[in-house]
Amino acid sequence: MTTSQQDRDQILRDALASRGHRYTEQRAAVFHFLAVSRSHPTAEDVFVGVREDVPGISLATVYKSLEAIVGCGLAHKLSFGDGSARYDGNPDPHYHARCVGCDQIVDIHVDPRRGALESMVPGPTGFRVTDYHIELTGYCADCSSG
Amino acid sequence: MTTSQQDRDQILRDALASRGHRYTEQRAAVFHFLAVSRSHPTAEDVFVGVREDVPGISLATVYKSLEAIVGCGLAHKLSFGDGSARYDGNPDPHYHARCVGCDQIVDIHVDPRRGALESMVPGPTGFRVTDYHIELTGYCADCSSG
DNA sequence: GTATCTGCAAATTTTTTGCCAGTAG
DNA sequence: CTACTGGCAAAAAATTTGCAGATAC
């Protein structure tokens, strides 16, 4: 079962409200675009896509909306080292694999009960891993104790 | 035992030669700066640091040198989503943890014999992980078979 | 009613490029 | 010699900011 647009809107409303932010047509459109997007769009991609629903939206507003949505934890900001940031609204835990050949980003879904690194390397996706980079986010020892 | 500067220079010479690139004073200085750097410097950081050894070097040359060095596999280009790319010349396998509190990048060295994700989460660094992102690099199914 | 948000345009930041003289191999 | 490089300055790309009017709550 998939999340309906009403459910999504309510999730967005609540998340924004909890941060003191407001629900707007532009933010809803950006959030919806991310939620249905199978790829990992750049801010520009989101701008082009969302403009079909909200013709007057500006790129600056897209950036601001993305920041608000990422700030609420409803999407992730990714960097693949190719210049521009990419955004991912997929709530399921998954990794990303960038193909050196075609630069495509492949999603790797991992069974959380199995050892994560082990299961993802030879996985059923056919992706042959040559290198990987792991970024952890959290609080360092100093900030944890403070 | 640590790698001497002579060893490093030879490694750089060989790596550049194998790619048809030339060994230059500027590239050696950039490589040396990365090798002794404990942080994860931006291109600008490298520029400022290397300028002490090679006063006339330009930022554009730093970018070109970094590209050559990363292209040879002697360093990694990292993105932490904070605007500018960062470079890492540490050859030991390790992960990176960004502190949400102070934005510091903490290196996490992992015993390769242990389950990787498991061992890094509660590790002896005191880093409290709230989120992580894994980027795999390699060849997708299409590019592998082609 | 008021603090927040949007769109616009301009500014900033980061990275890349073109060109010509210089240099490694 | 000859192709690859470095420095310079200009360009391109990505993102952020200031502000005045509009809007959510």
Side-chain angles (χ1 to χ4, degrees):
Chain A
M1 112 186 180
T2 165
T3 309
S4 76
Q5 178 149 3
Q6 288 94 322
D7 291 344
R8 256 205 313 271
D9 270 1
Q10 196 55 53
I11 290 170
L12 179 62
R13 273 185 192 282
D14 293 347
L16 288 170
S18 76
R19 289 276 190 139
H21 293 148
R22 292 176 181 173
Y23 177 94
T24 66
E25 177 191 10
Q26 289 85 349
R27 290 174 179 179
V30 168
F31 184 50
H32 178 252
F33 182 84
L34 287 183
V36 301
S37 179
R38 295 286 87 222
S39 60
H40 302 82
T42 63
E44 180 79 28
D45 294 335
V46 174
F47 175 53
V48 170
V50 165
R51 215 166 20 175
E52 313 220 328
D53 292 314
V54 186
I57 198 170
S58 72
L59 181 54
T61 296
V62 169
Y63 272 105
K64 289 167 184 167
S65 298
L66 287 168
E67 187 187 0
I69 291 166
V70 169
C72 293
L74 295 181
H76 285 271
K77 183 178 183 179
L78 311 175
S79 323
F80 294 106
D82 61 341
S84 47
R86 291 163 179 279
Y87 295 86
D88 183 352
N90 186 342
D92 300 327
H94 62 283
Y95 307 149
H96 300 107
R98 179 170 51 84
C99 180
V100 173
C102 62
D103 248 36
Q104 180 190 183
I105 308 294
V106 181
D107 276 356
I108 310 263
H109 291 271
V110 178
D111 182 339
R113 290 164 304 181
R114 297 177 56 199
L117 272 182
E118 290 70 41
S119 68
M120 76 193 177
V121 174
T125 58
F127 199 93
R128 182 159 53 85
V129 176
T130 57
D131 194 12
Y132 56 82
H133 171 238
I134 299 191
E135 179 183 337
L136 309 177
T137 304
Y139 295 89
C140 68
D142 292 347
C143 290
S144 277
S145 56
Chain B
M1 103 193 182
T2 162
T3 309
S4 76
Q5 178 149 3
Q6 288 95 324
D7 289 345
R8 256 205 313 272
D9 269 3
Q10 196 54 53
I11 290 170
L12 179 61
R13 274 184 191 282
D14 293 346
L16 288 170
S18 76
R19 288 277 189 138
H21 293 146
R22 291 175 181 172
Y23 176 93
T24 66
E25 177 192 11
Q26 289 84 350
R27 289 175 179 179
V30 168
F31 184 49
H32 178 251
F33 182 84
L34 287 182
V36 300
S37 179
R38 297 285 87 224
S39 59
H40 302 82
T42 63
E44 180 79 26
D45 295 335
V46 174
F47 175 53
V48 171
V50 165
R51 215 164 24 174
E52 314 219 327
D53 292 315
V54 186
I57 198 169
S58 71
L59 181 55
T61 296
V62 169
Y63 273 105
K64 289 168 184 169
S65 299
L66 287 168
E67 187 187 359
I69 292 167
V70 169
C72 293
L74 295 181
H76 285 269
K77 183 178 183 179
L78 311 175
S79 323
F80 294 105
D82 60 342
S84 46
R86 289 161 181 280
Y87 295 86
D88 183 354
N90 185 342
D92 300 327
H94 62 283
Y95 307 147
H96 300 108
R98 179 170 51 83
C99 179
V100 174
C102 62
D103 247 37
Q104 179 189 185
I105 308 293
V106 181
D107 276 356
I108 311 263
H109 292 271
V110 178
D111 182 338
R113 290 165 304 183
R114 296 179 55 199
L117 272 182
E118 290 70 43
S119 69
M120 78 195 178
V121 174
T125 58
F127 198 92
R128 181 159 53 86
V129 176
T130 57
D131 195 11
Y132 56 83
H133 172 238
I134 299 192
E135 180 184 337
L136 309 177
T137 303
Y139 295 89
C140 69
D142 292 348
C143 291
S144 278
S145 56

